[in-house]
Amino acid sequence: MELLRKWLGHPEDIYNLLRFKMGGYRAVMPRMDTDSLGCGLRTCYRYLNQTSRSFAAVIQALDGELRHAVCIFYLVLRALDTVEDDMSIPLDVKVPMLHEFHSYLYQPDWKYTESKEKDRQVLEDFPTISMEFRNLSKVYQDVISDICHKMGVGMAEFLEKKVDSQREWDKYCHYVAGLVGIGLSRLFSASELEDSIVGQDTDLANSMGLFLQKTNIIRDYLEDQLEGREFWPREVWSRYAKKLSDLAKPENIDVAVQCLNELITNALHHVPDVLTYLSRLKNQSVFNFCAIPQVMAIATLAACYNNQQVFRGVVKIRKGQAVTLMMDATNIQAVKAIMYQYVEEIYQKIPSTDPSSNKTQQVVASIRAVSLPGSPMASRHHYSPIYLSCAMLLAALSWQYLSTLSKATEEYVQGGDN
């Protein structure tokens, strides 16, 4: 009954979950026909669905040949990331692998069969992935190979050093996510579904990746601590604690939240770039692909801001909230309204005594300036009483059934592959 109580507190979630489950999801994630694909591509899409909780559906919703290019791009980077994450690979083996990984794309027989990671199949069957890579147009191959090379070098750089300064935080996020944004943007332009400026403006594309990566790093503080990983920049957390792990101690919760708020303020500086980038997109499938993770990120930051729960467990946005975002974020005015809504939510929670309060207010003001209120989507939560009454009645009658159905949605919402 706890799920029902949560839904009754957010009736718009019920309406949108019903709308989503009754076919609305096909507007943003249409079904892809895999029967017409060759054996190799079918295998690649199977690996995509096995390894990506977040992006599989939206990748498969992309138009034309861009879909295959992005699928292969994702799998290549997933294989590279699997090498980086595998602690069983000695550094004297791992570092050269990361540096040379892009060259394996052109070696038909290269594979790695000694990984202990859960996604090791992309390494064990890398010949299938590299074959489909070589079947792509050269313009796509060049982008994927170049990004793979740069990312491998960057990963190797950070294998044995921690993130100290905020500049290094930006650099690390660039290597693991900004380069993905740049590569995707170049693929969008190469497909001619988007103008050349989308692929050429690397600063905006980099910001798209940094906003998502910083959100993940901020949200995943406790999970990373439990697994022995540290991605919060020392320059920031050292002003609040002697060790990053100290922020999880109950007696340090006040300064921990202040540190959290400072990092969220840092991440929010990317939002104006995100909106400028999205405003340039013309193709609907590309827009959906890019916009959905960004609105999920701003909603996540709003949930995390000034929230002690970040240091005690996992902060998640509601499934119904996520579905609403997925279905609404289909045009730039809607995305602007969503960004405006969530930065206003953050603004209302800014403590007057927070050391970063002035900076947070300033970045909120800059986002307000580029997010015009009063658009048609700004009042998207105001449904008519009859809609809400019907939705609430249906939820009361079938909440357990909907809970089961929404598990698939949760995989997209709570996935860490932003």
Side-chain angles (χ1 to χ4, degrees):
M1 294 300 292
E2 178 63 25
L3 177 62
L4 179 59
R5 284 195 293 271
K6 287 182 180 179
W7 280 357
L8 292 178
H10 300 277
E12 73 281 1
D13 289 359
I14 308 169
Y15 171 69
N16 282 307
L17 272 170
L18 287 167
R19 190 160 62 107
F20 187 81
K21 294 301 178 183
M22 293 173 68
Y25 62 96
R26 289 300 174 203
V28 291
M29 293 184 291
R31 189 187 305 276
M32 187 185 78
D33 177 19
T34 57
D35 293 340
S36 60
L37 302 178
C39 180
L41 267 179
R42 281 202 305 273
T43 299
C44 287
Y45 280 105
R46 186 173 77 251
Y47 292 155
L48 174 67
N49 283 287
Q50 290 172 352
T51 59
S52 172
R53 294 172 299 166
S54 301
F55 286 130
V58 284
I59 287 175
Q60 292 173 84
L62 288 168
D63 289 339
E65 62 182 16
L66 176 63
R67 177 190 309 138
H68 301 327
V70 174
C71 173
I72 300 305
F73 185 42
Y74 176 88
L75 292 177
V76 168
L77 297 188
R78 172 58 65 189
L80 179 67
D81 191 55
T82 301
V83 171
E84 182 203 25
D85 287 344
D86 195 333
M87 301 305 291
S88 70
I89 305 176
L91 283 180
D92 61 345
V93 175
K94 182 183 292 190
V95 171
M97 281 181 69
L98 292 174
H99 277 276
E100 298 300 323
F101 202 88
H102 67 289
S103 69
Y104 304 151
L105 293 166
Y106 299 98
Q107 299 177 28
D109 298 325
W110 186 90
K111 59 184 175 181
Y112 186 76
T113 58
E114 299 176 32
S115 176
K116 304 297 188 292
E117 290 291 297
K118 61 181 177 64
D119 293 331
R120 58 185 176 273
Q121 71 267 31
V122 294
L123 290 171
E124 293 172 347
D125 192 19
F126 198 76
T128 297
I129 297 170
S130 68
M131 176 185 68
E132 293 303 329
F133 164 82
R134 293 188 299 275
N135 286 338
L136 295 172
S137 298
K138 187 176 184 301
V139 66
Y140 296 133
Q141 291 184 37
D142 290 346
V143 172
I144 295 171
S145 176
D146 180 53
I147 296 299
C148 181
H149 185 199
K150 291 174 179 175
M151 187 175 290
V153 171
M155 286 177 168
E157 179 181 336
F158 279 91
L159 276 179
E160 293 189 283
K161 77 174 185 179
K162 295 184 177 179
V163 178
D164 286 328
S165 67
Q166 293 186 66
R167 182 184 294 273
E168 284 185 335
W169 197 37
D170 282 355
K171 188 177 183 181
Y172 171 77
C173 291
H174 164 74
Y175 281 141
V176 300
L179 282 172
V180 178
I182 291 169
L184 286 169
S185 300
R186 290 169 61 188
L187 293 176
F188 299 156
S189 294
S191 72
E192 299 185 355
L193 293 176
E194 298 297 345
D195 292 335
S196 58
I197 186 63
V198 172
Q200 293 168 354
D201 196 333
T202 55
D203 287 341
L204 292 188
N206 189 59
S207 277
M208 292 283 285
L210 263 61
F211 185 57
L212 299 183
Q213 186 65 22
K214 288 181 178 181
T215 297
N216 287 343
I217 288 172
I218 291 167
R219 178 198 62 196
D220 294 341
Y221 165 84
L222 191 60
E223 178 184 329
D224 287 337
Q225 280 293 302
L226 293 174
E227 296 187 12
R229 300 189 300 256
E230 293 190 354
F231 298 115
W232 284 25
R234 178 187 296 272
E235 181 184 343
V236 175
W237 64 254
S238 63
R239 294 199 292 269
Y240 301 92
K242 291 183 179 179
K243 296 186 296 183
L244 182 56
S245 59
D246 288 345
L247 295 179
K249 296 179 179 178
E251 63 269 25
N252 294 329
I253 192 62
D254 290 339
V255 293
V257 169
Q258 291 175 355
C259 181
L260 168 71
N261 291 346
E262 182 172 347
L263 290 181
I264 290 176
T265 299
N266 176 295
L268 289 174
H269 281 90
H270 298 293
V271 173
D273 279 355
V274 167
L275 292 175
T276 300
Y277 180 97
L278 293 174
S279 70
R280 291 176 173 173
L281 301 179
K282 302 184 302 182
N283 179 271
Q284 188 65 58
S285 72
V286 172
F287 187 91
N288 294 347
F289 177 87
C290 295
I292 290 173
Q294 301 293 333
V295 296
M296 296 289 187
I298 191 68
T300 299
L301 289 184
C304 290
Y305 185 81
N306 210 47
N307 189 348
Q308 298 179 0
Q309 185 61 25
V310 171
F311 302 96
R312 298 169 177 164
V314 180
V315 175
K316 298 180 179 180
I317 61 177
R318 303 181 310 275
K319 295 179 194 133
Q321 180 184 7
V323 165
T324 298
L325 292 171
M326 290 169 65
M327 296 183 70
D328 283 353
T330 57
N331 63 78
I332 187 59
Q333 290 306 319
V335 171
K336 286 182 176 181
I338 291 167
M339 293 291 190
Y340 187 91
Q341 171 194 337
Y342 284 110
V343 296
E344 284 300 303
E345 185 177 312
I346 290 172
Y347 181 81
Q348 296 301 322
K349 294 192 291 185
I350 299 175
S352 59
T353 57
D354 190 274
S356 303
S357 61
N358 288 338
K359 290 181 179 179
T360 310
Q361 290 168 356
Q362 290 170 6
V363 72
V364 166
S366 70
I367 296 170
R368 282 173 174 162
V370 293
S371 305
L372 301 177
S375 69
M377 296 305 301
S379 58
R380 66 192 185 285
H381 294 318
H382 299 300
Y383 301 108
S384 69
I386 190 168
Y387 273 139
L388 295 182
S389 298
C390 290
M392 292 171 72
L393 176 60
L394 284 169
L397 294 172
S398 59
W399 65 272
Q400 189 170 12
Y401 173 64
L402 283 173
S403 175
T404 302
L405 285 177
S406 55
K407 286 182 180 178
T409 305
E410 182 176 17
E411 288 202 345
Y412 179 88
V413 177
Q414 307 302 347
D417 298 329
N418 295 338

